Amino acid sequence: MALWMSLGGFALLDTLSPTIIGVTIYLILADRNNRIVRLGAYLLTVVILYFLLGVMLMFGFDYIVGAFASFFQSQFFRWVLFIIGVGLFIGSYYVPAKKNALPTPQTQGLLSMVLVGIMTFFMEAGTAFPYFAAIGLVTTMDISLLYRLLIIAVYNLIMIAPALLLFAGYSFMGKYMHTALVKLRDKLSTSTHSTLSWMMCIVGVIIVLYAIDGLTITIP
C-alpha cells in the first residue's frame, strides 16, 4: 500500500509541470480555430516521449536491480537512499532562481506543435525527479511487463490531466476563466523555477521515508 501511495504522490507532483500548463494556456488563449488538434498534437508528443523514456529507464533499472539484487536489499543501499533523500531536501533550498522561458510555436502547423512538445520534454526531462523515482518503484513491483507498461502509460496520462481539465473548463466556461488564465499565463512566463525547488524537497522527503522503512537501526 505504501508503494502505491508513493507512486500516486509522484504522479500528482508531475501534474504540476509549469511548462506543460503554460504552453496549454498559451494555446487555449491564442488559437481559436485549431485549438483541439494543435493541443492534441502537443500533448501526444509529450506523452509519447515521456512514455519511451519511462520504458527505457524501466529496462535499465530492471537490469541493474537483477544484476545487483543483494546490494539493493542491503542496509547499505537503504542508507545510500537516505543520504540521497536528505541531499535532495537540503539542495532544494539552494536551487538558483531562474526565469521560465515557455516554448511557443513559431507557425500554425502541427509540426510546430510537435517541436514544442519535443522542446518541453528536453526542458523538463532532466529534472523530472518524481518521474525517475516512480519508474524506480515500478521496477521493484512483482508484476508482469504488461502491467508495468500500463502503469507507466496511466502515469503519463495523469501527468497531462491538468492540461486536459483546463481545456475542458475553458471550452464550457471560457468567458469566466479567460481573465484568470491570462494572469496565470503571465505568472508562469515570468516566475522563477520554484517548482523544481519544492519538487526536490518533497521527493527527498518521500525517499527518506522509504529508506527509513527498511532500515534496521541498532541503539546500544
Side-chain angles (χ1 to χ4, degrees), residues 7 12 25 57 70 83 101 103 108-109 124 149-150 164 180 196 217:
L7 191 61
L12 290 177
I25 293 175
L57 287 173
S70 58
I83 294 171
Q108 296 294 314
E124 297 203 335
L149 294 175
L150 182 60
L164 298 175
L196 175 60
I217 303 175

Side-chain angles (χ1 to χ4, degrees), residues 73-146:
Q73 295 171 2
S74 66
Q75 289 290 295
F76 177 75
F77 177 67
R78 292 285 182 168
W79 279 110
V80 170
L81 280 181
F82 179 82
I83 294 171
I84 291 174
V86 172
L88 286 173
F89 179 81
I90 296 175
S92 67
Y93 291 94
Y94 297 95
V95 175
K98 180 180 169 184
K99 289 188 176 181
N100 289 321
L102 295 177
T104 55
Q106 301 301 312
T107 68
Q108 296 294 314
L110 292 182
L111 179 59
S112 180
M113 296 314 308
V114 172
L115 293 176
V116 172
I118 294 173
M119 290 174 61
T120 298
F121 171 76
F122 281 109
M123 286 175 62
E124 297 203 335
T127 55
F129 297 112
Y131 194 58
F132 299 152
I135 299 301
L137 290 180
V138 171
T139 305
T140 65
M141 293 180 173
D142 187 18
I143 55 178
S144 67
L145 175 61
L146 179 61

Side-chain angles (χ1 to χ4, degrees), residues 167-182:
F167 172 75
Y170 192 82
S171 298
F172 291 101
M173 300 180 294
K175 63 179 181 179
Y176 301 106
M177 296 177 60
H178 186 84
T179 302
L181 288 181
V182 170

Side-chain angles (χ1 to χ4, degrees), residues 138-216:
V138 171
T139 305
T140 65
M141 293 180 173
D142 187 18
I143 55 178
S144 67
L145 175 61
L146 179 61
Y147 281 115
R148 288 184 181 184
L149 294 175
L150 182 60
I151 290 173
I152 295 175
V154 172
Y155 187 103
N156 281 279
L157 291 177
I158 293 174
M159 187 170 63
I160 64 167
L164 298 175
L165 290 174
L166 282 173
F167 172 75
Y170 192 82
S171 298
F172 291 101
M173 300 180 294
K175 63 179 181 179
Y176 301 106
M177 296 177 60
H178 186 84
T179 302
L181 288 181
V182 170
K183 291 181 179 178
L184 181 57
R185 179 197 61 190
D186 295 340
K187 185 176 181 180
L188 288 173
S189 62
T190 58
S191 64
T192 61
H193 280 288
S194 58
T195 304
L196 175 60
S197 176
W198 58 258
M199 274 192 177
M200 286 176 60
C201 178
I202 296 174
V203 171
V205 171
I206 293 176
I207 291 177
V208 166
L209 294 176
Y210 178 78
I212 290 175
D213 186 53
L215 281 174
T216 302

